[in-house]
Amino acid sequence: MPTDPTGPDGAVQSTENNNLALTFDDGPNPTYTPQVLALLGQYHITATFCLIGQNAQQYPELVKAIVAAGNTLCDHSWDHDEQMADKSLAYIDNELTRPIAAIQTAVPGASVHYYRQPGGNWSHTIVSEAMRMGMTPLDWSVDTDDWQRPGTASIEYTILNKAKPGSIILMHDGGGDRSQTIEALRTLLPTLVANFHLQPMPTNPQATADRSGVHRPYF
Ligand SMILES: [Zn+2]
C-alpha cells in the first residue's frame, strides 16, 4: 500500500487501495475517446475520465457513452487554463463549475466526483474550491508523458516499470494525436488486467468524507 497518498496542496496521488486507476485527460474527443472506451469494454474494465468543459459541451454523446459504460467522471476545467492558480476566486469558480453544468446537460444527474488541475498546477485555493463543490482533487503517480508523443514503446515502458497497486496512471484521450496512447493501451491491457485490479477512482461517499478530514487543516 502506498504510504503518502497526497500530492501538491493535498491532491490525491493514490487510489488509497490496491487498485490500479487509469485516468484519461483532455477529452472527450471524437476520434480517440470511442477507441479508449472500446478497449476498456473489451476487457470489462472502467477508468476515470477528466473532461474539459468545452469538449463536454461540444460532444455530449461522448459524455453519455463514458457514463453509460460505468466510468468515473472528473472535471478538468472549462478550457484547460494552466495558469488558473494566479487568477481570481470568481475566475477559478467559473472554470470549475461550467464543466459540471456541461456534463449534467449531457447526462442529467451525473455526478462529478473528482477535479484535476490542468498541468498539475494546483494551489490551496483550487484544492479548497474543488472540495467545497464536492470534488476530490485528483493528481497522479505515474506520468506516461503520452501527450508529448514519446513513442508507443516509451509509454508502455513507463507504465510497466512504474505501475503498482494504488497507482494513478495519467494518460490522454484528447488534446492532440493520441494514436500512441491507443496503441500502448492495446498492447498493455492484457498484461495489466492479468496483474492488477483495474478500477476507476472510488466514488463512495465514505471516500469523500475521509478526504475532507485529510484536508481540514487547509481551511
Ligand atoms: Zn490536461
Side-chain angles (χ1 to χ4, degrees):
M1 287 292 284
T3 53
D4 181 11
T6 58
D9 295 292
V12 298
Q13 287 187 313
S14 160
T15 64
E16 301 182 25
N17 53 37
N18 282 315
N19 296 334
L20 184 71
L22 301 178
T23 65
F24 296 95
D25 285 15
D26 297 358
N29 175 283
T31 302
Y32 300 107
T33 303
Q35 295 184 61
V36 171
L37 290 173
L39 279 167
L40 298 179
Q42 192 178 332
Y43 294 93
H44 309 289
I45 56 175
T46 44
T48 303
F49 287 79
C50 298
L51 308 182
I52 295 176
Q54 283 182 337
N55 296 346
Q57 183 182 59
Q58 190 173 358
Y59 303 110
E61 294 304 320
L62 294 176
V63 180
K64 286 180 189 171
I66 289 167
V67 172
N71 297 286
T72 293
L73 294 177
C74 172
D75 178 343
H76 195 39
S77 85
W78 178 251
D79 56 3
H80 211 270
D81 186 346
E82 298 186 6
Q83 313 306 322
M84 198 191 307
D86 301 328
K87 297 178 180 170
S88 71
L89 184 61
Y91 182 95
I92 290 170
D93 281 355
N94 190 53
E95 281 282 330
L96 269 60
T97 53
R98 284 183 78 190
I100 299 172
I103 287 167
Q104 292 180 339
T105 298
V107 182
S111 294
V112 183
H113 289 91
Y114 290 90
Y115 174 76
R116 176 173 277 165
Q117 173 60 19
N121 295 334
W122 297 98
S123 71
H124 284 297
T125 301
I126 293 169
V127 164
S128 60
E129 285 305 288
M131 294 192 65
R132 187 177 62 77
M133 297 171 190
M135 299 185 288
T136 298
L138 177 63
D139 209 65
W140 57 82
S141 57
V142 177
D143 187 351
T144 64
D145 274 326
D146 65 330
W147 62 277
Q148 302 204 68
R149 297 193 282 275
T152 304
S154 171
I155 297 169
E156 293 172 15
Y157 181 87
T158 300
I159 294 174
L160 285 175
N161 282 275
K162 293 187 175 175
K164 57 189 181 189
S167 292
I168 300 172
I169 313 262
L170 172 60
M171 306 179 87
H172 292 77
D173 66 331
D177 181 342
R178 299 300 172 227
S179 51
Q180 292 184 5
T181 305
I182 300 295
E183 282 314 303
L185 265 185
R186 196 185 310 280
T187 303
L188 279 189
L189 277 177
T191 303
L192 293 179
V193 168
N195 289 282
F196 295 98
H197 299 291
L198 273 80
Q199 295 284 340
M201 292 300 294
T203 57
N204 56 311
Q206 186 57 44
T208 306
D210 288 348
R211 298 306 316 163
S212 301
V214 168
H215 291 281
R216 198 162 292 136
Y218 292 124
F219 296 101

